[in-house]
Amino acid sequence: MSNKTFYVTTPIYYPSGKLHIGHTYTTVAADAIARFKRFTGYDVRFLTGTDEHGQKIQKTAEAQGLEPQAYLDGMVEDIKRLWNRMEISYDDFIRTTEDRHKVAVQKIFEKLYAKGDIYKSEYEGWYCTPCESFWTQTQLLEGNKCPDCGREAQLAKEEAYFFRLSNYKDRLIEHFKSNPKFCYPEARKNEMLSNFLNENLEDLCVSRTTFDWGIKVPFDTKHVVYVWLDALCNYITALGFMSDDDSEYQKYWPANVQLVGKEIVRFHSIIWPAILMALDVPLPQQVFGHGWILFGDDKMSKSKGNIVYPEPLIERYGIDALKYFLLREFTFGKDGSYTNRNFLGRLNSDLANDLGNLVSRTVTMIEKYSDSEVPSPKVKGGVHDELSIEAIRAYSEFEGQMDELQFSEGLESIWKLIRRTNKYIDETMPWALAKEEGKKDELDTVLYNLAEAIRIVGVLISPLMHVTSKKIFEQLGITGQQELLTWESVQEFGKLTPGTRVSKGEILFPRLDIDSEIAA
Ligand code: ME8
């Protein structure tokens, strides 16, 4: 195992409804990072899970006539089924109702209380149950509406424990300034600095007494721990923090990147680091707040009912089609709109036309003009060298873009190579070379270079689209040749062994009739 470690996390989702493509988006992005880092030699830990306490979950379970735990078990089974169906390569799945988490959260609460970072007082203010967020009167919108979701907040007055968030304001500002990539992208950092850290940072209420579906405060059991404090701690409790065996915590913490949607950047870049500072624990290297997938102009959300689910899309078009679309269509960090037309348009243009056609044309020509065997290249220079230079460019650009989590640009770099390779076919016209006398060397070279280019494409896309990548390797007949499938193998053009036998497989991405797909 490599001694370079990499820890990536997704938010732990509320199992208060079926997950949709918004959740899938974050998880697919985290999976792409995890797979890319493993591929490039890191010992990776990829954590996801579910946030199972709080008033909202309790109310949802009650509305279905179920005990919270029974309700949650069913929901979590569905979530795991979805991630498994999508072949998400998570290493651990934490549920906040698990003992390993509950016990550690109680210890964390006790420690913060013993240090004086948590104290008892009375809460008087507003609470938004769907967001599980506390608000002051001045933060509310007109009509006592929650500034995050626009729904009506409720007045709450109860005895409560508070976390001394205000004590950490200066250290947080200092951390933001001296670590410019801590809260990222730039726009999120500026938003946090100007909207929250510039104002009075009030102490945070961290316990509730008006319901009981939560982790009990160990020394005052009529209180349950505020669901956000409970939830945020998952990133370290899952590693065994404050347990008998904290070897994983020692190995993987601090996280390299914590992915979250932009609406919860405040919790992850202000409250979470303050808790960690209070615990004397190092902060994650980066909290990346990505944008929203909108439906029309609205955020897709369980409560608004304007939802696209991943299951019908993956059943009909395959997991790689959805993963490709999510990573390619939206700039990571910015909002974007989902439409069926855009989704299907990308499938046709990028996957069926550009990639699918290239693989199919290449394998067909090798079968036809070279008896299914990859010939050895004979000629150098000109257009042939242009192709190999392009392949090396694609590899190095892709690496840089993946390190910056710019998936869309990374895929575009690979697609530039794909389009260049398609153009190479048009320029060299292998079908004409096959007919002409004395062009055998030229033809062999073209066929070899095409096979090598698609091998490189297959390797480059493998962390993002592993199903397609495997199909390409099968058609090229190199599945068993591990040395041709590694990250190192694409740093050089010309590794494919002449004589390899290709065989045409199923079409990678069939061309779709968009209007009839939309009507279906
Ligand atoms: O907030 N576009 O859980 P949650 C993009 N339990 N991403 C979206 C999205 C959309 N339309 N909708 C959801 C919670 N997401 C807490 C987290 S973490 C300690 C606790 C993604 O089920 C995005 O990552 O509401 C967002 O932050 C997350 O799902 C919210 O999931």
Side-chain angles (χ1 to χ4, degrees):
M1 247 311 158
S2 163
N3 54 12
K4 294 188 293 184
T5 62
F6 196 93
Y7 184 30
V8 54
T9 65
T10 71
I12 48 171
Y13 307 114
Y14 291 127
S16 51
K18 230 170 107 57
L19 299 192
H20 54 69
I21 63 163
H23 306 101
T24 310
Y25 181 52
T26 319
T27 303
V28 161
D31 187 54
I33 298 169
R35 287 178 182 270
F36 178 72
K37 287 293 171 185
R38 283 189 205 108
F39 198 48
T40 53
Y42 287 78
D43 172 354
V44 171
R45 188 78 172 178
F46 167 15
L47 176 72
T48 190
T50 41
D51 185 358
E52 306 191 6
H53 291 126
Q55 211 165 346
K56 180 164 64 175
I57 297 285
Q58 189 169 23
K59 284 188 171 171
T60 312
E62 267 166 20
Q64 299 198 10
L66 291 170
E67 285 298 318
Q69 196 63 57
Y71 164 78
L72 288 164
D73 290 349
M75 295 301 287
V76 170
E77 208 172 295
D78 285 352
I79 292 172
K80 286 189 171 167
R81 189 176 310 123
L82 172 63
W83 298 153
N84 293 339
R85 170 71 185 84
M86 292 201 66
E87 300 182 31
I88 299 297
S89 65
Y90 61 81
D91 298 295
D92 193 5
F93 187 107
I94 179 116
R95 300 184 55 180
T96 55
T97 48
E98 287 174 78
D99 278 345
R100 61 170 171 154
H101 175 75
K102 291 196 286 191
V103 170
V105 168
Q106 288 183 324
K107 287 186 184 163
I108 289 169
F109 201 97
E110 271 175 327
K111 179 165 176 182
L112 295 176
Y113 184 69
K115 277 189 67 188
D117 273 303
I118 284 180
Y119 61 93
K120 196 169 182 174
S121 178
E122 185 172 72
Y123 180 74
E124 193 168 357
W126 296 84
Y127 195 74
C128 171
T129 307
C131 294
E132 303 280 13
S133 290
F134 295 102
W135 299 106
T136 59
Q137 179 76 60
T138 51
Q139 287 172 316
L140 293 181
L141 306 177
E142 221 184 282
N144 299 328
K145 302 264 168 58
C146 165
D148 268 0
C149 72
R151 279 166 293 195
E152 214 168 298
Q154 269 78 44
L155 203 55
K157 184 173 177 182
E158 54 194 77
E159 176 191 283
Y161 287 89
F162 283 80
F163 171 65
R164 287 193 200 281
L165 187 57
S166 56
N167 274 4
Y168 292 93
K169 180 175 157 174
D170 294 343
R171 273 179 73 187
L172 284 167
I173 294 175
E174 172 52 32
H175 191 79
F176 267 62
K177 299 217 159 135
S178 49
N179 297 276
K181 289 198 157 181
F182 169 66
C183 179
Y184 209 69
E186 196 76 9
R188 307 277 175 257
K189 176 180 82 180
N190 295 337
E191 194 184 312
M192 290 303 121
L193 281 169
S194 61
N195 293 0
F196 298 102
L197 290 170
N198 263 355
E199 299 195 352
N200 226 355
L201 201 56
E202 292 188 15
D203 287 351
L204 178 72
C205 178
V206 287
S207 79
R208 306 290 316 268
T209 50
T210 48
F211 67 97
D212 62 1
W213 185 245
I215 301 176
K216 289 201 172 356
V217 170
F219 48 85
D220 194 352
T221 54
K222 71 174 187 294
H223 289 258
V224 295
V225 177
Y226 172 44
V227 63
W228 268 101
L229 174 62
D230 160 352
L232 287 164
C233 290
N234 89 86
Y235 303 122
I236 50 178
T237 61
L239 296 176
F241 179 71
M242 289 189 97
S243 76
D244 294 343
D245 178 3
D246 71 351
S247 52
E248 282 174 346
Y249 166 76
Q250 297 297 344
K251 184 168 176 191
Y252 294 108
W253 191 260
N256 297 75
V257 59
Q258 302 210 256
L259 297 187
V260 297
K262 65 178 184 181
E263 79 291 356
I264 55 174
V265 168
R266 179 171 69 96
F267 292 97
H268 285 82
S269 69
I270 297 178
I271 298 175
W272 175 226
I275 296 166
L276 293 171
M277 285 173 181
L279 289 168
D280 285 322
V281 161
L283 307 195
Q285 280 172 19
Q286 182 168 76
V287 171
F288 193 105
H290 66 66
W292 284 342
I293 299 186
L294 306 171
F295 195 82
D297 291 332
D298 239 351
K299 183 180 175 226
M300 208 178 290
S301 74
K302 285 171 240 175
S303 49
K304 286 184 189 142
N306 55 351
I307 297 183
V308 177
Y309 293 107
E311 288 89 348
L313 299 176
I314 57 183
E315 289 320 322
R316 192 161 174 92
Y317 308 107
I319 61 176
D320 278 5
L322 180 60
K323 293 202 310 183
Y324 175 78
F325 175 75
L326 291 174
L327 296 171
R328 175 66 185 89
E329 180 77 3
F330 309 107
T331 301
F332 204 59
K334 301 221 167 101
D335 292 352
S337 285
Y338 174 89
T339 70
N340 283 326
R341 203 164 278 283
N342 286 353
F343 173 65
L344 296 165
R346 283 257 175 227
L347 256 63
N348 266 356
S349 67
D350 301 8
L351 299 180
N353 285 359
D354 294 343
L355 175 61
N357 249 342
L358 173 63
V359 173
S360 149
R361 290 209 284 176
T362 300
V363 175
T364 305
M365 288 191 291
I366 296 174
E367 285 184 342
K368 193 161 162 195
Y369 304 131
S370 187
D371 236 353
S372 297
E373 270 186 20
V374 175
S376 53
K378 319 257 171 12
V379 186
K380 284 209 173 304
V383 73
H384 310 302
D385 283 1
E386 276 175 36
L387 186 68
S388 59
I389 290 167
E390 179 66 12
I392 299 304
R393 179 211 52 76
Y395 139 75
S396 81
E397 268 185 29
F398 176 67
E399 180 175 39
Q401 283 144 343
M402 285 301 288
D403 281 338
E404 290 293 314
L405 312 190
Q406 291 306 310
F407 310 110
S408 183
E409 285 79 352
L411 282 166
E412 176 55 21
S413 292
I414 304 174
W415 254 253
K416 273 198 242 157
L417 170 61
I418 293 172
R419 288 193 294 265
R420 182 66 191 86
T421 314
N422 272 320
K423 190 166 154 230
Y424 176 74
I425 301 181
D426 301 338
E427 288 165 344
T428 55
M429 296 192 290
W431 52 91
L433 296 175
K435 283 190 199 131
E436 261 182 74
E437 279 290 306
K439 293 288 184 184
K440 175 100 175 53
D441 284 358
E442 185 85 15
L443 175 65
D444 283 355
T445 304
V446 171
L447 296 180
Y448 177 87
N449 287 346
L450 286 175
E452 174 65 347
I454 64 172
R455 177 188 73 83
I456 290 176
V457 167
V459 174
L460 291 176
I461 63 171
S462 66
L464 311 182
M465 303 168 72
H466 64 279
V467 178
T468 307
S469 161
K470 226 166 124 198
K471 287 183 186 164
I472 295 175
F473 299 150
E474 273 160 18
Q475 297 204 23
L476 277 181
I478 55 171
T479 322
Q481 297 182 56
Q482 193 45 42
E483 71 284 2
L484 296 179
L485 315 181
T486 62
W487 181 240
E488 289 67 36
S489 79
V490 292
Q491 300 170 18
E492 200 183 308
F493 191 92
K495 283 198 152 320
L496 187 63
T497 332
T500 304
R501 287 195 72 77
V502 304
S503 66
K504 210 161 162 89
E506 57 172 312
I507 291 189
L508 294 182
F509 295 97
R511 236 195 110 70
L512 305 161
D513 180 83
I514 295 188
D515 287 324
S516 60
E517 288 299 315
I518 288 177

